[in-house]
Every structure is written in C-alpha cells, then in structure tokens.
Amino acid sequence: VMSVPAITVKPATPLDRCIHLMERNRIRRIPVVDDSDKICGIISLEDIASKHEEYAGHIMREISKSKSISLQ
C-alpha cells in the first residue's frame, strides 16, 4: 500500500530528512526518484539500521505508534 500522493526523496536527500519522513508518516520505506520523478531506488528502515543502529529503535517506535482514526 502506498501513500497518495507518494512520499519520495531525491538521491541527494539527507539521511535525517529521510528519517523524519519515515517517522512523521509512519512508513518503513521511501522510494528514491530522479529529476524526472522516475524511481531509481528505495531506502528502507533496514538500510538505515544496517548503517546507523542508533536510529533503528527510535524510528521503529515512532512508525509503530497507532494512528488515530476518525470515523464519521
């Protein structure tokens, strides 16, 4: 399931921005798109955890929080 509009980053997007987007949107993966908005990769929580263990637990706690759902 993908968000609409899709949440994407560019190859030069800083890691802290990717982490912020994952936390805020409670997602585990973000497509990386080029200047033509064509997918050229994907960054995952696993990618970040393998390089920066200190972020993994924090991100998991943030994205695992339940979202409030309002039924009207």
Side-chain angles (χ1 to χ4, degrees):
V1 178
M2 186 174 274
S3 316
V4 178
I7 297 162
T8 62
V9 295
K10 298 289 186 180
T13 302
L15 181 61
D16 61 337
R17 176 74 179 143
C18 295
I19 292 169
H20 173 75
L21 288 169
M22 287 179 164
E23 290 174 345
R24 188 177 76 205
N25 296 286
R26 295 188 178 110
I27 55 177
R28 297 172 191 248
R29 291 168 198 82
I30 301 176
V32 180
V33 297
D34 62 17
D35 291 333
S36 300
D37 287 331
K38 293 187 183 199
I39 294 178
C40 59
I42 192 161
I43 186 164
S44 69
L45 174 59
E46 294 81 15
D47 295 332
I48 294 170
S50 71
K51 300 289 184 187
H52 302 279
E53 266 183 43
E54 67 275 16
Y55 294 120
H58 175 73
I59 297 170
M60 279 304 295
R61 282 189 297 280
E62 290 299 313
I63 65 175
S64 295
K65 290 179 181 176
S66 62
K67 291 183 180 181
S68 299
I69 298 174
S70 175
L71 300 175
Q72 297 179 6

